[in-house]
Amino acid sequence: MIHTDLLSLPSPIELPMHWPFIKMHGLENYFVILDRRDASKPLNDDDIVRICSTNVGVGGEQLLTIERASDEGLRTGAYAAMRIFNIDGKEVGACGNATRCMAYLLLEESGKDEVVMELAGGVVHSRRAGPTEVSVTLGPISMDWRKIPLSQEVDTLHLPIQSGPLTDGIALYIGNPHAVFFCDQLDSVDMARYAPAVQNDPLFPEGVNVGAAQVIDEQSLRLKVWERPGVLTKACGTGASVAAYAAFKRGLITSRKIAVHLPGGRLDIELLDGGRVRMTGPVAFCCHGFVLGNTKG
């Protein structure tokens, strides 16, 4: 269990069922985190939707749970497992900023400088990069249309879809699906207007995260991301990773160390061998407390 002084919680008031939570963010990408390693009752979709709601819950862009590592995870050195749920209750396979926030908690709990976590897509290695900075290694990134997945075979380096200024995109998979579009003037791209058409295009049977990127120079780019199921986020770690990878694949950037500037701040991406990336950035705490859980099941 998470037990550092920083994360210790006060005694709860008497409630039918209560779960302690921690709220964190990575560049204003907000997460509600529950430690479920000793939980006996399952989460349901209604719980997740309610907890993530800014009106009736804690408020967050995703809900994260700490779980016990599986036997396979333990064999690969995993300290714990993480599950990631979107605000509609659907589970997803990856989130870069969430991984950094969770890694920080587990680094603090374990007292180590490196930690391995088990995610739906496999194990992820994380390490301290500063007092409140964490590096995580993600990937490998795939551009195989079946992996993403797409509904039909197309050239994933040049997607045959367009929505306003979002044209000639690149489709990639990094535990979750992304489409990245490069533009000359990022500020002129209205993501709320144009990105939903891409997100819901029949080419993407499971939907897609939509990024718009502007290359600044050989070592940096700007990025905005529209996330499934329909959120314009301040930061997206996997989105920054695939945008840097896509810029390199297109020949728009030649450096393997790329600064990605998002509305919430900067992430540093290093392109490694085999399609993997190392993402480094800050994490921060918002609050902690108790949230009502379900009384069914």
Side-chain angles (χ1 to χ4, degrees):
M1 301 291 289
I2 295 175
H3 52 72
T4 63
D5 292 340
L6 180 62
L7 305 178
S8 61
L9 294 170
S11 298
I13 60 176
E14 291 299 321
L15 296 172
M17 178 175 292
H18 53 269
W19 296 328
F21 75 86
I22 296 166
K23 184 174 179 179
M24 297 182 69
H25 74 90
L27 301 180
E28 298 185 56
N29 189 190
Y30 293 95
F31 309 102
V32 182
I33 303 170
L34 304 179
D35 191 338
R36 304 279 296 167
R37 283 174 287 187
D38 293 326
S40 59
K41 292 183 180 291
L43 283 171
N44 59 44
D45 290 355
D46 290 341
D47 285 320
I48 296 167
V49 171
R50 174 175 51 80
I51 293 169
C52 289
S53 169
T54 56
N55 294 322
V56 297
V58 180
E61 293 172 68
Q62 286 176 322
L63 184 141
L64 315 178
T65 62
I66 310 172
E67 312 274 348
R68 294 189 182 279
S70 68
D71 290 342
E72 178 62 26
L74 291 172
R75 283 192 289 270
T76 57
Y79 179 83
M82 176 175 72
R83 297 178 70 186
I84 308 166
F85 300 90
N86 278 341
I87 59 174
D88 58 0
K90 294 180 180 178
E91 187 168 2
V92 296
C95 175
N97 287 325
T99 303
R100 289 190 301 102
C101 287
M102 184 71 78
Y104 183 82
L105 292 181
L106 299 180
L107 288 165
E108 289 294 291
E109 178 182 278
S110 66
K112 299 178 179 180
D113 290 327
E114 297 185 5
V115 70
V116 179
M117 291 185 295
E118 182 183 14
L119 276 69
V123 296
V124 173
H125 294 258
S126 307
R127 60 178 175 82
R128 297 182 190 273
T132 56
E133 288 201 341
V134 175
S135 290
V136 299
T137 301
L138 303 174
I141 296 172
S142 175
M143 295 177 62
D144 186 324
W145 70 275
R146 290 158 293 197
K147 183 76 172 178
I148 294 169
L150 302 183
S151 59
Q152 61 183 351
E153 183 176 3
V154 300
D155 181 359
T156 54
L157 191 59
H158 298 280
L159 290 174
I161 59 175
Q162 178 178 352
S163 178
L166 303 178
T167 183
D168 192 24
I170 302 174
L172 312 97
Y173 178 82
I174 187 173
N176 55 6
H178 286 266
V180 179
F181 299 84
F182 291 96
C183 58
D184 294 329
Q185 296 295 328
L186 184 63
D187 291 336
S188 66
V189 179
D190 186 344
M191 293 294 281
R193 178 179 179 183
Y194 296 111
V198 177
Q199 175 199 331
N200 299 305
D201 191 281
L203 186 62
F204 302 100
E206 297 180 6
V208 70
N209 301 293
V210 184
Q214 177 184 348
V215 174
I216 303 303
D217 54 40
E218 283 295 306
Q219 294 181 308
S220 62
L221 56 83
R222 295 176 62 213
L223 177 69
K224 294 194 291 189
V225 179
W226 179 267
E227 288 188 327
R228 296 180 303 173
V231 177
L232 184 60
T233 183
K234 289 285 190 72
C236 178
T238 56
S241 299
V242 296
Y245 183 87
F248 187 83
K249 292 289 286 187
R250 277 274 181 91
L252 302 174
I253 282 180
T254 57
S255 173
R256 284 184 169 269
K257 293 184 177 181
I258 302 164
V260 180
H261 300 274
L262 298 119
R266 169 176 166 168
L267 289 172
D268 291 304
I269 308 298
E270 182 179 359
L271 305 180
L272 308 175
D273 293 337
R276 295 189 178 274
V277 297
R278 180 179 294 119
M279 177 187 62
T280 303
V283 302
F285 288 93
C286 302
C287 61
H288 61 194
F290 295 89
V291 64
L292 274 175
N294 71 69
T295 57
K296 301 177 182 179

